[in-house]
Amino acid sequence: MDQNAVRLTPQSVAALNEVAAFLALDDFGPKGSDGLPENMAPGSVDCVILAGNCVLETAEGAFRAMKGGVSPKLLITGGIGHATEVLRRKVARHPAYRAVVTEARTEAHILADIAERFWSIDRSSILIEPDSTNSGENARLSLKVLENAGLPVRTILLIQDPTMQRRADATFRHVWSNRADLTVLNWPTFTPRVRLAKEELQFDLNGIAGLWSMDRFLALVMGEIPRLRDAPHGYGPKGKGFIAHVDIPEPIEAAYAQLENSLASHSVRH
């Protein structure tokens, strides 16, 4: 199905935005002029953890947080996974970042180069975890890196692709469950929104470039709610046990069902 040709109703577009906002778990408030949330105070976290993904805005948000003095350490986690090739292509097309070598390199190494070369983040403040291939390994291997570095981490700022932020939070809380003293703060850097323009689905985001294709965005959103469910086929404790329990409010399940029916109807008609 060509998702760019989907003719969703205004009600289904509202449902899509509702589900996307739920997935983009954000513990902070509105942004200030520096691009950081107004209530994100300098020195408020022990480590920023950037989970490698293909949305460059999330990496730039992590780098802005470091430049703003939010944390003394940045840990970039990400080996070679399903989004790596997309990230490589985006970096290769970027007017500045294209100077970074991407071929056969991990997400963590690519993003660390960008942080150091284009955002002037001191290399000594960057930790790299280049072996993980999924969210569970992001969490498990990040914890190992921090423990090996001997860092007393009690508060982390977790940054991930907005469509996967809530699952990343649940994954880290599950893998780090023996750390009762740990606080995980979530910041997806932006909340995805779409709109109908001449009956075509488009992103409604000013000043944010390098987003997903609409195909990929819809696939990511539609795939997340089933994963988050604490049920036999989900990732929660009653299912595969990959993540901590996630409460999915009834209005979100209703919005998801409406969107699922709308997309299924479109597929049947076409």
Side-chain angles (χ1 to χ4, degrees):
M1 179 173 61
D2 180 3
Q3 308 286 14
N4 289 308
V6 171
R7 300 293 189 262
L8 294 180
T9 65
Q11 292 79 12
S12 294
V13 171
L16 176 55
N17 283 330
E18 189 174 0
V19 174
F22 173 74
L23 297 176
L25 176 61
D26 192 339
D27 292 322
F28 296 90
K31 293 180 184 178
S33 59
D34 60 356
L36 296 177
E38 295 172 352
N39 59 338
M40 184 182 286
S44 57
V45 301
D46 297 313
C47 185
V48 174
I49 297 183
L50 169 63
N53 65 82
C54 64
V55 182
L56 285 174
E57 179 71 18
T58 64
E60 292 177 344
F63 304 154
R64 283 196 297 272
M66 291 297 294
K67 296 294 287 184
V70 171
S71 172
K73 289 290 182 181
L74 168 64
L75 191 163
I76 305 176
T77 171
I80 296 177
H82 65 86
T84 309
E85 190 53 42
V86 181
L87 173 65
R88 289 169 178 166
R89 290 198 300 268
K90 286 185 178 181
V91 171
R93 292 196 300 263
H94 193 279
Y97 303 159
R98 64 186 181 189
V100 171
V101 175
T102 61
E103 186 176 356
R105 300 186 75 210
T106 68
E107 295 168 4
H109 283 109
I110 292 168
L111 295 171
D113 274 5
I114 293 173
E116 183 178 8
R117 295 174 58 180
F118 297 96
W119 289 79
S120 301
I121 296 175
D122 194 287
R123 185 65 185 80
S124 64
S125 67
I126 302 174
L127 298 170
I128 294 177
E129 184 290 293
D131 298 318
S132 56
T133 61
N134 56 52
S135 293
E137 290 181 353
N138 284 159
R140 181 171 56 82
L141 297 180
S142 291
L143 177 59
K144 185 177 180 180
V145 167
L146 291 171
E147 288 176 343
N148 289 343
L151 295 177
V153 174
R154 289 187 171 83
T155 303
I156 64 171
L157 176 63
L158 181 60
I159 298 176
Q160 171 62 292
D161 178 319
T163 65
M164 294 184 279
Q165 185 73 47
R166 190 170 291 272
R167 178 155 58 96
D169 169 72
T171 303
F172 271 74
R173 286 190 292 111
H174 171 68
V175 173
W176 296 31
S177 59
N178 64 334
R179 289 288 309 276
D181 61 332
L182 181 74
T183 298
V184 179
L185 299 174
N186 290 275
W187 185 46
T189 71
F190 71 98
T191 299
R193 284 191 61 82
V194 297
R195 63 178 179 177
L196 286 177
K198 297 181 180 179
E199 298 188 348
E200 182 178 317
L201 200 58
Q202 297 180 352
F203 287 109
D204 186 17
L205 297 164
N206 293 325
I208 298 179
L211 294 170
W212 320 263
S213 67
M214 192 59 69
D215 264 24
R216 182 171 174 79
F217 175 67
L218 282 170
L220 287 168
V221 170
M222 296 308 294
E224 280 300 292
I225 295 298
R227 290 185 178 94
L228 291 175
R229 289 179 181 138
D230 198 355
H233 297 291
Y235 283 8
K238 296 177 183 177
K240 297 182 179 180
F242 294 162
I243 64 176
H245 173 78
V246 174
D247 286 318
I248 305 177
E250 289 185 10
I252 297 299
E253 286 284 14
Y256 179 82
Q258 178 184 344
L259 185 59
E260 190 174 39
N261 289 337
S262 180
L263 291 174
S265 297
H266 179 277
S267 179
V268 168
R269 289 196 305 270
H270 290 76

